[in-house]
Amino acid sequence: YDGVLLLGKYAGQKVQNAKKIIQQELIDSNEAMIYYEPEKSVVTRGGDDAVVSLCNQWYLDYGNEEWKEATRKALAKVNMVDEARNNVEATLDWLREHACSRTYGLGTRLPWDETWLIESLSDSTIYMAYQTIAHLL
């Protein structure tokens, strides 16, 4: 969405840019808290109702603007067809936090918090990123 705020401290800014800033300000001033609720019923592939719960867990912050800018610069250097480039750019626009951990099942333990396992789809992303900085920790 490309809506622009008309009033207040962030007048003239796109809603999508000001939203996280305002959210954090409200949380910091104890006027709000983060609350998640499914938009509709969640059903498993087998057709069973799923129970959804918010867990205190680790997230990858793909919404970080510095990361997004570095990714856009790297993407500009990649040779790919327009359709693929458009899809990647569109994903960068909406991608925010991604839960990357769980407490049960098979998997690799988070190196910095061994009570958590790396969610299997995030395993390769975290492992490769961690190995680039592990010697500095």
Side-chain angles (χ1 to χ4, degrees):
Y1 46 89
D2 291 321
V4 175
L5 293 169
L6 300 175
L7 301 170
K9 183 177 175 180
Y10 300 101
Q13 291 191 29
K14 285 188 175 183
V15 171
Q16 68 181 12
N17 296 337
K19 186 176 177 182
K20 281 288 183 184
I21 297 168
I22 295 169
Q23 178 188 52
Q24 192 59 53
E25 286 178 358
L26 290 170
I27 291 168
D28 291 346
S29 66
N30 291 320
E31 296 177 70
M33 61 181 250
I34 295 178
Y35 172 77
Y36 295 97
E37 184 174 296
E39 295 177 7
K40 57 184 178 182
S41 294
V42 179
V43 179
T44 68
R45 291 180 193 164
D48 297 324
D49 289 335
V51 177
V52 178
S53 69
L54 174 62
C55 302
N56 184 19
Q57 64 186 108
W58 290 95
Y59 287 84
L60 298 176
D61 185 7
Y62 292 117
N64 179 290
E65 287 303 322
E66 289 178 29
W67 176 85
K68 285 188 177 205
E69 187 56 35
T71 303
R72 287 185 181 103
K73 285 180 183 177
L75 181 61
K77 298 176 184 177
V78 176
N79 184 19
M80 64 174 66
V81 297
D82 288 342
E83 182 180 357
R85 181 177 306 282
N86 293 341
N87 286 337
V88 172
E89 288 173 349
T91 301
L92 280 174
D93 287 340
W94 63 259
L95 193 59
R96 299 284 184 255
E97 295 86 7
H98 173 75
C100 64
S101 61
R102 54 191 164 82
T103 57
Y104 60 90
L106 299 173
T108 306
R109 297 232 172 253
L110 276 172
W112 57 87
D113 187 346
E114 299 237 341
T115 59
W116 292 93
L117 295 168
I118 299 172
E119 184 269 326
S120 59
L121 295 176
S122 301
D123 198 355
S124 59
T125 303
I126 293 172
Y127 181 79
M128 298 303 280
Y130 177 74
Q131 292 305 316
T132 64
I133 62 165
H135 66 284
L136 300 171
L137 301 176

